[in-house]
Amino acid sequence: MAKFKKEGGKETPGISTASLPDIIFMLLFFFMVATVMREVTLIVKVTPPGATEIQKIEDKSLVSYIYIGPPVKRLQAKMGEEPRIQLNDAFAEVSQIKDYVAQSALNIPEYNRKKQIMSLKVDETTKMGIVTDVKEELRKANALKINYSTKKGYDPNK
Amino acid sequence: MADIAFLLLIFFLVTTTMDVDSGISRKLPPPIPPNQKKPPEVKKRNVFVVLINSADQLLLNGRQGSIRTLKRDVKEFLTPVYSGNPSAPDVDGHPEVTETNIDGIGRFWRSKGVVSMQNDRGTSYATYIHVQNELAAAVSELRDDMAKQYFGTDLKTLLDKYPDKAKAIQDAIPMSISEAEPVSLGD
């Protein structure tokens, strides 16, 4: 009997790599679908405050962002340290918000346009004055649904 | 082939941002038409005034307060208190109540209390959000308590499973937070 036994027959065969490309492709497709490209580069520093009563925004296509905060370090020499508004890729004035609202509404399909949400990404050190001006302008532009972007978690006892 | 797939995979891995946008959702009041009549006056006993000054200090109904007790105070104020006597349903020291018929709950004495919040232009955004957060937390805790009392579960489960029951709770305890235009409240 032992004659028929091949030498080294007890060695386990290596793991087959035939399915490796399949796995890689699966991961590739997952990340392709999950990827959201950042459409703007931030030129203001935004550290959102914490909160507990938060809601997730379900449909990202309805959202346009307004950033408010002090300019980033490399632009502070030119722009100062006072909080500024950023729309798209540039600093903006309060008066430009109306146009921004109208323009971002065009990117939303018509049947959904009434559901437009403006997300305010505001730095926690900002004073309310500028935020109030922005809110007033949004009211005038009839963009009434807003979302104050926040971090998760807040404890008033700290 | 696998090399290209790997390359693409690594590219998408690096560029992926998985953050989900979340925050406090609010609805702004619509712009005021120029010929609008004065809104009806709200009785003083029905209003809980929250003022925030530019030094981020709180004034709650005329007394200096702290963000630590804000939620408790607002919860206490918004809890409907009914005397048990339909001809004189109000209780001193608490906001008025009105009888309403709510689907799924029946007759309910709803509080007329409103929280009015006003801040200074110099208030910091962090404090503003924290106060907003505490006010919203007070209302949602009240709703949770009521959901437990009437239906035996918390509001989140109701929202998922029985939206009409959740709606009844939301009707019984409205999110009555109003925001006044900021003024200068002094330093």
Side-chain angles (χ1 to χ4, degrees):
Chain A
M1 284 295 269
K3 263 186 190 170
F4 297 103
K5 217 176 190 175
K6 269 186 198 160
E7 239 174 85
K10 267 184 187 158
E11 250 174 54
T12 47
I15 301 165
S16 163
T17 53
S19 57
L20 195 66
D22 296 359
I23 296 165
I24 299 299
F25 265 110
M26 203 173 67
L27 282 171
L28 174 62
F29 286 135
F30 170 72
F31 280 104
M32 272 177 76
V33 172
T35 300
V36 190
M37 299 273 183
R38 225 173 220 279
E39 52 287 37
V40 291
T41 36
L42 281 179
I43 47 176
V44 292
K45 186 181 83 67
V46 172
T47 318
T52 51
E53 301 295 308
I54 53 180
Q55 285 141 333
K56 275 183 194 156
I57 301 178
E58 301 291 346
D59 194 347
K60 274 203 175 167
S61 65
L62 300 175
V63 189
S64 338
Y65 299 96
I66 296 173
Y67 302 91
I68 306 171
V72 289
K73 276 256 159 60
R74 68 188 158 82
L75 290 170
Q76 268 179 10
K78 210 165 65 186
M79 304 302 298
E81 286 174 34
E82 279 302 296
R84 300 284 305 247
I85 305 167
Q86 180 190 352
L87 302 174
N88 292 326
D89 271 323
F91 290 115
E93 295 301 323
V94 178
S95 53
Q96 284 167 267
I97 285 177
K98 238 181 206 168
D99 286 337
Y100 178 70
V101 170
Q103 203 144 63
S104 36
L106 291 179
N107 295 331
I108 304 171
E110 207 170 339
Y111 58 89
N112 256 343
R113 229 165 254 177
K114 283 210 173 110
K115 293 188 193 158
Q116 187 183 22
I117 301 169
M118 305 307 290
S119 176
L120 297 180
K121 290 192 181 257
V122 185
D123 191 74
E124 56 185 354
T125 58
T126 312
K127 299 286 176 208
M128 277 309 287
I130 188 167
V131 183
T132 309
D133 293 342
V134 169
K135 271 162 68 183
E136 224 19 65
E137 205 61 23
L138 285 176
R139 265 179 85 184
K140 280 187 209 151
N142 235 334
L144 302 178
K145 278 190 171 179
I146 57 168
N147 184 286
Y148 302 108
S149 191
T150 56
K151 276 192 305 235
K152 218 177 186 175
Y154 165 65
D155 184 5
N157 295 317
K158 264 179 201 164
Chain B
M1 198 61 189
D3 290 3
I4 299 167
F6 255 121
L7 200 82
L8 284 170
L9 174 62
I10 287 162
F11 169 72
F12 280 108
L13 258 172
V14 171
T15 50
T16 300
T17 42
M18 286 287 195
D19 59 347
V20 191
D21 263 308
S22 56
I24 300 177
S25 291
R26 280 278 171 278
K27 219 162 171 212
L28 295 174
I32 308 160
N35 52 354
Q36 209 198 7
K37 281 178 262 161
K38 254 192 157 182
E41 294 269 319
V42 182
K43 278 190 195 160
K44 213 174 174 188
R45 67 183 287 184
N46 292 341
V47 188
F48 186 86
V49 186
V50 179
L51 298 175
I52 321 168
N53 74 359
S54 58
D56 293 346
Q57 290 163 321
L58 263 66
L59 198 71
L60 310 176
N61 255 357
R63 256 174 300 174
Q64 190 167 8
S66 130
I67 189 128
R68 274 177 221 152
T69 57
L70 177 63
K71 184 164 78 182
R72 202 189 61 207
D73 293 348
V74 172
K75 243 180 112 172
E76 195 185 302
F77 174 80
L78 286 179
T79 309
V81 179
Y82 170 50
S83 66
N85 177 8
S87 53
D90 304 330
V91 178
D92 273 347
H94 290 280
E96 292 175 314
V97 285
T98 48
E99 195 176 18
T100 35
N101 222 335
I102 297 166
D103 289 341
I105 294 178
R107 294 167 105 65
F108 182 77
W109 291 87
R110 181 162 62 184
S111 170
K112 276 190 181 176
V114 174
V115 178
S116 159
M117 122 178 222
Q118 190 167 39
N119 60 278
D120 188 277
R121 288 182 68 88
T123 305
S124 84
Y125 182 69
T127 311
Y128 172 79
I129 286 296
H130 291 157
V131 168
Q132 284 266 15
N133 186 56
E134 290 308 286
L135 296 181
V139 173
S140 72
E141 271 184 26
L142 273 180
R143 285 179 175 169
D144 254 352
D145 291 351
M146 196 178 159
K148 276 195 193 110
Q149 190 191 334
Y150 279 79
F151 302 116
T153 54
D154 57 352
L155 192 69
K156 205 166 167 270
T157 339
L158 282 186
L159 274 173
D160 289 343
K161 288 186 187 152
Y162 315 101
D164 47 328
K165 283 185 184 171
K167 177 103 202 331
I169 299 281
Q170 283 163 351
D171 268 357
I173 299 181
M175 183 73 97
S176 31
I177 297 166
S178 93
E179 249 182 87
E181 234 155 84
V183 283
S184 190
L185 294 169
D187 307 298

